[in-house]
Amino acid sequence: MSLFDDNNIRACVPDGVALPRALSRTTHLAIAAHPDDIEIIGYHGIIQCYQAADRWFTGIVVTNGSGSPRGEPFREYSDAEMIAIRAEEQIQAAQLGEYSAVLQLGLRSDEVKDRISPQLVEYLARQLELAQAHTVYLHDPADRHGTHVGVCIHALEALRALPKALRPAHVYGIEVWRNLDWLPEQYRVRLDLCGHADLFNRLIGVFQSQISAGKRLDLALPGRQSANATFDRAHLVDQSSALTLALDMSDLVHNENVGYSEFMQSVLADFTTEVIGKLDRYR
């Protein structure tokens, strides 16, 4: 049975065009695990497209977010109630950010973690083929959150399933539950988030199911972005006031002969070489 037979997919197209048209005009696309992750990993794409006539951002949210922390005033809310609240928050964010579309698949985390779902890969590949975005934002494989890693791997599998001519030019793995300031230079991408600062505050502010419950995304994310900008280069003045850091996975998408573990082993080996090389000078 397909994971999608229960018709749980919620599609929102803020400007009301048909969904195929909303997908086909997409230039920047994010595939994220939970409601609110789109606004974290895809914010660079959101501001690239915001109020731009020739650029459009689409988000795909894979799971329903039922396991989110429950501080007050949501402590007594059921999973079903939290799912409904978070889905509505995601729609509000799509409308506020003027997305081309947002698709919420409504899966459970255990349906995407620790094993590949061929149905999910096939579904994502179809949406990617319709969109043909040139820039795709994913979770990064070094994320501490198991659902984030699972969604990342499914998205990579879907991207690799596309004909090579349709694979995006840029695929970025974005930091969430682990900073990426440790990445060696050859893998690190700096995504400048300057511009539309008030939009970010308003987008994140939509997710009161997280913020009011005690997950202060509204404080933590601007803090991380500012810190990235200041600590990016030790011997240069700040080149930006807000950066998010990404792992460049473009080559990984275009070379399916490289395994995901093999790729990350290379990244970590280069990091180890960089650190140990500095220390070895003092022998």
Side-chain angles (χ1 to χ4, degrees), residues 51-123:
Q51 297 184 341
D54 59 344
R55 297 188 298 274
W56 290 91
F57 175 83
T58 288
I60 300 176
V61 183
V62 174
T63 74
N64 58 30
S66 63
S68 63
R70 311 286 167 83
E72 294 296 345
F74 301 97
R75 192 177 302 279
E76 304 302 322
Y77 279 50
S78 68
D79 283 355
E81 289 172 321
M82 289 303 296
I83 290 169
I85 289 169
R86 298 192 72 182
E88 285 302 318
E89 289 173 338
Q90 186 62 78
I91 290 171
Q92 290 175 36
Q95 294 169 337
L96 182 61
E98 300 179 5
Y99 302 176
S100 189
V102 65
L103 300 175
Q104 300 187 75
L105 309 190
L107 301 182
R108 302 187 314 271
S109 287
D110 63 5
E111 293 176 300
V112 303
K113 283 198 300 187
D114 302 326
R115 65 186 186 278
I116 293 292
S117 161
Q119 297 98 329
L120 177 55
V121 171
E122 180 184 357
Y123 178 84

Side-chain angles (χ1 to χ4, degrees), residues 199-214:
L199 176 62
F200 184 79
N201 295 333
R202 287 185 291 142
L203 282 173
I204 291 300
V206 163
F207 296 97
Q208 288 300 311
S209 66
Q210 306 305 295
I211 294 169
S212 295

Side-chain angles (χ1 to χ4, degrees), residues 5 9 13 15-16 24-25 33 39 102 109 113-115 121 133 171 183 203 205 211 218 246 248 257 261 268:
D5 283 349
I9 297 173
V13 180
D15 70 352
S24 68
R25 69 187 177 185
E39 288 63 37
V102 65
S109 287
K113 283 198 300 187
D114 302 326
R115 65 186 186 278
V121 171
V171 180
L183 280 175
L203 282 173
I211 294 169
D218 56 327
D248 191 345
N257 294 321
S261 296
L268 294 169

